Amino acid sequence: LLSCEGNYMSGTLPDTLWSLTKIHTLRLGKNTFTGGIPESISQLSDLSVLDLSHQTENNGHGLSGPVPAFETMTKITEIDLSSNVLTGEIPPNFLQAATPDVIDYIDLSSNKISGVAPSLLARFDDVKL
């Protein structure tokens, strides 16, 4: 468990995070991180909870770039990327390996995501776009 919510942490997400391959919960919401979410986040194969939400509250910038696919993350149960400035389309293979009945929620709201939501999202009960 790594929970550093609301600590006014800033800069880009540290590369060292992606070496924490046995971490189960990563809560970094309500900080002021900027830059992209690297595809290497998928290396966190044991991750079940990911909260990178609300990075825009203090400076209006937040996490940007495309939404990662998270296509190999089989143990994920919660993803909150809301209130950032993520752009582009949700990848067609978004959460491809996740088991629908264990997903509690997916929140991608309050971003700048465009395009049509992939049909794969219909597998999940609680999705906020």
Side-chain angles (χ1 to χ4, degrees):
L1 166 69
L2 177 59
S3 182
C4 295
E5 293 177 290
N7 282 303
Y8 301 102
M9 297 171 76
S10 61
T12 58
L13 294 169
D15 289 337
T16 53
L17 286 176
W18 322 132
S19 63
L20 302 173
T21 56
K22 298 297 179 191
I23 194 166
H24 292 263
T25 301
L26 180 59
R27 293 191 183 275
L28 298 175
K30 299 178 184 166
N31 284 294
T32 57
F33 287 112
T34 57
I37 303 171
E39 285 292 337
S40 53
I41 195 169
S42 292
Q43 294 173 6
L44 304 180
S45 57
D46 286 340
L47 194 66
S48 61
V49 175
L50 175 64
D51 182 356
L52 298 175
S53 67
H54 298 277
Q55 301 299 323
T56 60
E57 288 185 349
N58 296 314
N59 63 14
H61 297 288
L63 295 173
S64 58
V67 176
F70 304 111
E71 75 271 13
T72 61
M73 300 180 91
T74 58
K75 298 180 181 178
I76 199 81
T77 61
E78 299 176 14
I79 291 183
D80 192 347
L81 302 179
S82 64
S83 297
N84 282 291
V85 286
L86 299 172
T87 57
E89 297 184 3
I90 300 169
N93 57 341
F94 184 75
L95 291 174
Q96 181 173 299
T99 306
D101 58 340
V102 298
I103 297 283
D104 290 327
Y105 70 88
I106 300 165
D107 192 345
L108 304 175
S109 66
S110 299
N111 280 287
K112 297 182 178 187
I113 297 169
S114 60
V116 177
S119 59
L120 201 57
L121 283 179
R123 302 180 315 144
F124 306 111
D125 290 330
D126 193 0
V127 178
K128 294 177 184 158
L129 298 178

